[in-house]
Amino acid sequence: MYKLMLYVFFTVYSGVTFSEELIHKELTEKEFTGAASSIRETYNAQLYKLPASKMSHYGLRMFRQSGNDAFNTPVWVDMALKASSLNKIRVNLSSKKQIEYYANEVNSKFTDTDPIRRQLRVNTFTRMPEYLLIASRLLPAMARIDEYGLKHVSDKKFRQTIRNENFKLYFSDPNMIHAWAAQLANQVYWLKQLKIEDLTDYFTSSFRKAYPDTLDDKLTTQQYNNKLYAMTHFIFPASLYYQKSVNEADFQWIYDYFRKNIDTILERSKADVIAEVGISFLLANKENDPVVKKIKEYIYHSIDKSRKIIPSESGSFDLAYGEHRNVLAIMLLDWQGVHNQPTYKNNVSTFTNLPYGLEEK
């Protein structure tokens, strides 16, 4: 089934017919890295035409992989975006009433490209209106700035605001998990990273109850991908997003699940989720695991060789829309290891003229 899926995908999206023999062909590391280079060339050539959020997402990951200061500008843009978000939040935290007002304003502007996911998430706002503001805007911006070795001038105020929020309520609610699983996984590790609260075991237990493995076949495609995506996002923030290795034993239940269900994952999941599963193994220094080879082969055959990117499931070649899946493909196929970069102390040229509101930690 896996090989047939590869055949259908490649034939439909590339316009090229190829035989089963090609699928059986043993791919080499040189072919994997060459495919990564082709995607990288496509995005590097158009980098500054991408929206700021996409440009910074791509550039930061390329910097962390390569240490190439050619990506200084995207990193600075990322800092500026996070600083701007924190500066705006700061002026709206003077009272409980003001926080509620601003949270409702943020919620009213919420959008999502997936209509099913959007409805699941909008339903959470009526019960937990401050979630999007505090957990999905304030906390991730603080965590990213912290990764750079920086903090906001209102750091103490922000931390108190976060402490006032009942994150246990978010992390234990099945409806929240079904709507925001990956985001919650990020948030629980960011709370730990910022030394605010360690609820990792608490959320792990809640997540596994919300998504028992025995009910996988009852999950819709959207919910199955939601589960998998979240499982990779236990591992990614624990690595400070590709900056340090993780210990497989700390996430044994996840790695065991991936190994046991890899063929189903390849059949039921999207390219970006599949790539993240592969990167999860790379972060644990398991480059030679058979799962990694299977995933690399899948991603390699997902690339449109003429357009030099992985199209969406609907066949779109839009660079901005496809940035997430394609940057993950680059990392998977041409993994450069983990690196603690860029940081304020170690990459001086990247951090000249800090955006307003930021200072050294």
Side-chain angles (χ1 to χ4, degrees):
M1 181 66 183
Y2 161 53
K3 292 175 181 175
L4 177 61
M5 182 179 174
L6 286 178
Y7 176 82
V8 172
F9 186 95
F10 191 86
T11 301
V12 170
Y13 289 128
S14 70
V16 175
T17 302
F18 66 108
S19 65
E20 277 287 323
E21 285 73 22
L22 182 58
I23 296 178
H24 285 288
K25 175 180 175 288
E26 183 77 13
L27 293 168
T28 65
E29 285 302 314
K30 185 176 180 180
E31 287 174 298
F32 291 142
T33 58
S37 293
S38 70
I39 301 175
R40 188 161 45 231
E41 289 168 7
T42 299
Y43 273 88
N44 286 356
Q46 301 293 320
L47 182 58
Y48 296 106
K49 294 182 181 181
L50 295 176
S53 61
K54 300 292 186 179
M55 183 243 291
S56 59
H57 183 275
Y58 175 88
L60 174 58
R61 280 147 184 78
M62 290 298 94
F63 195 118
R64 284 187 172 165
Q65 281 284 281
S66 68
N68 189 342
D69 60 11
F71 295 104
N72 278 352
T73 297
V75 172
W76 193 93
V77 169
D78 184 58
M79 282 193 293
L81 290 172
K82 301 302 184 290
S84 177
S85 180
L86 292 174
N87 291 336
K88 187 171 183 180
I89 291 172
R90 174 179 60 174
V91 300
N92 287 283
L93 297 182
S94 61
S95 67
K96 180 67 174 176
K97 185 175 181 180
Q98 190 175 32
I99 293 174
E100 291 174 357
Y101 180 84
Y102 186 45
N104 287 328
E105 179 185 334
V106 169
N107 294 344
S108 69
K109 297 176 181 178
F110 175 74
T111 60
D112 196 309
T113 56
D114 184 325
I116 297 175
R117 187 174 60 198
R118 182 184 186 281
Q119 191 56 55
L120 285 170
R121 292 178 172 180
V122 169
N123 288 344
T124 67
F125 298 158
T126 57
R127 297 179 298 111
M128 304 175 183
E130 293 175 12
Y131 171 77
L132 199 58
L133 172 61
I134 306 301
S136 289
R137 290 204 176 184
L138 174 58
L139 182 58
M142 288 180 65
R144 176 63 54 74
I145 295 305
D146 178 76
E147 290 169 16
Y148 290 140
L150 302 169
K151 66 178 181 178
H152 194 273
V153 293
S154 295
D155 183 71
K156 290 183 179 179
K157 184 177 185 179
F158 291 153
R159 286 172 177 271
Q160 189 56 53
T161 300
I162 291 171
R163 289 190 181 97
N164 290 340
E165 201 70 8
N166 185 0
F167 276 86
K168 276 192 170 183
L169 184 64
Y170 303 150
F171 296 149
S172 62
D173 188 301
N175 292 320
M176 286 292 293
I177 295 171
H178 291 150
W180 300 97
Q183 289 73 20
L184 292 169
N186 274 331
Q187 289 149 15
V188 76
Y189 278 92
W190 287 334
L191 288 173
K192 182 179 180 180
Q193 172 188 329
L194 294 170
K195 298 180 175 59
I196 294 175
E197 192 172 13
D198 186 352
L199 296 172
T200 52
D201 290 341
Y202 184 84
F203 178 65
T204 299
S205 176
S206 297
F207 176 83
R208 299 185 73 177
K209 288 177 182 176
Y211 283 116
D213 297 346
T214 54
L215 296 182
D216 278 357
D217 60 346
K218 301 293 192 297
L219 296 176
T220 63
T221 297
Q222 189 275 331
Q223 279 294 291
Y224 186 67
N225 277 272
N226 195 55
K227 173 180 177 174
L228 292 177
Y229 191 44
M231 291 171 78
T232 66
H233 281 253
F234 279 83
I235 294 166
F236 284 12
S239 76
L240 292 179
Y241 272 85
Y242 328 116
Q243 293 192 88
K244 66 177 186 177
S245 297
V246 300
N247 183 358
E248 178 182 342
D250 292 340
F251 303 97
Q252 199 63 59
W253 63 279
I254 296 177
Y255 288 102
D256 288 347
Y257 178 91
F258 288 161
R259 289 190 179 100
K260 180 180 179 181
N261 296 281
I262 183 57
D263 290 335
T264 303
I265 291 170
L266 293 172
E267 289 177 12
R268 296 189 66 185
S269 303
K270 300 186 296 183
D272 53 351
V273 175
I274 291 169
E276 289 202 352
V277 171
I279 293 172
S280 296
F281 281 84
L282 299 178
L283 286 168
N285 299 310
K286 301 296 178 181
E287 291 89 347
N288 297 321
D289 194 291
V291 167
V292 175
K293 185 66 180 295
K294 273 192 172 185
I295 290 175
K296 281 186 173 183
E297 289 173 347
Y298 178 95
I299 294 299
Y300 177 90
H301 287 301
S302 298
I303 301 169
D304 183 283
K305 300 307 186 289
S306 61
R307 298 289 192 98
K308 297 181 180 180
I309 63 169
I310 300 175
S312 72
E313 291 186 308
S314 64
S316 170
F317 290 94
D318 183 272
L319 290 184
Y321 183 67
E323 179 273 330
H324 183 260
R325 86 179 74 91
N326 280 282
V327 75
L328 289 166
I330 295 170
M331 295 169 65
L332 172 76
L333 296 174
D334 189 18
W335 180 246
Q336 298 298 308
V338 294
H339 307 283
N340 182 215
Q341 59 192 17
T343 66
Y344 182 77
K345 290 183 178 179
N346 297 334
N347 305 92
V348 177
S349 64
T350 309
F351 294 91
T352 56
N353 302 315
L354 290 179
Y356 176 78
L358 302 185
E359 63 184 15
E360 184 178 3
K361 186 168 62 176

